[in-house]
Amino acid sequence: MDALERSLLWLGIEDYTGLWQAVAEARGDREPRTAHDALVRARRTIESLLAADFVELFRCPEPLANETVERVPAEEQPGILGANGSWAVPEEGGVSVRYATTDRGFAVYQKEVGWWLSLK
């Protein structure tokens, strides 16, 4: 697992994380990086994490309220991830695409960073 995967898993543990935040993480991961390169890297990483069942995708009316999030069905994910608007900061009243780390993703993250060792 690389540093970007670990960072994205951590962000998804905390809360529903916007796909635009994944792009920002990818942009800061290795410099110099263009916005397009960061978007491509973030998309590939999110796709990989989805395929491994480490994260789930959600649609969220803005402003975010946890009770209004809706899981994106697997068959809709490729189209949503392929839409540039999914990776943009949403406007108030719009709909954002966010992800959250699954229990499986959290367990992998803990193992990757030695979480159990640090709790002893």
Side-chain angles (χ1 to χ4, degrees):
M1 178 169 287
D2 69 18
L4 181 58
E5 291 169 319
R6 283 189 299 275
S7 292
L8 295 183
L9 285 177
W10 175 250
L11 289 174
I13 291 166
E14 294 275 313
D15 200 356
Y16 296 102
T17 301
L19 292 184
W20 66 93
Q21 293 168 291
V23 175
E25 285 293 312
R27 185 126 196 213
D29 189 43
R30 285 188 252 156
E31 293 296 333
R33 182 174 301 282
T34 66
H36 176 74
D37 289 344
L39 173 63
V40 168
R41 184 146 190 262
R43 180 178 174 186
R44 286 182 183 153
T45 302
I46 291 290
E47 287 172 338
S48 174
L49 294 172
L50 279 166
D53 191 33
F54 293 166
V55 299
E56 295 177 304
L57 279 186
F58 296 88
R59 282 187 199 94
C60 308
E62 293 296 325
L64 174 65
N66 287 350
E67 60 276 353
T68 63
V69 300
E70 174 187 304
R71 183 173 287 119
V72 175
E75 63 272 8
E76 294 179 31
Q77 292 174 4
I80 286 176
L81 293 175
N84 285 340
S86 297
W87 300 90
V89 176
E91 294 182 14
E92 188 167 334
V95 175
S96 65
V97 180
R98 297 175 182 252
Y99 72 92
T101 301
T102 63
D103 290 342
R104 181 177 175 169
F106 183 50
V108 167
Y109 175 83
Q110 288 175 312
K111 186 174 181 180
E112 280 288 317
V113 301
W115 185 288
W116 291 282
L117 299 175
S118 65
L119 295 178
K120 292 182 178 184

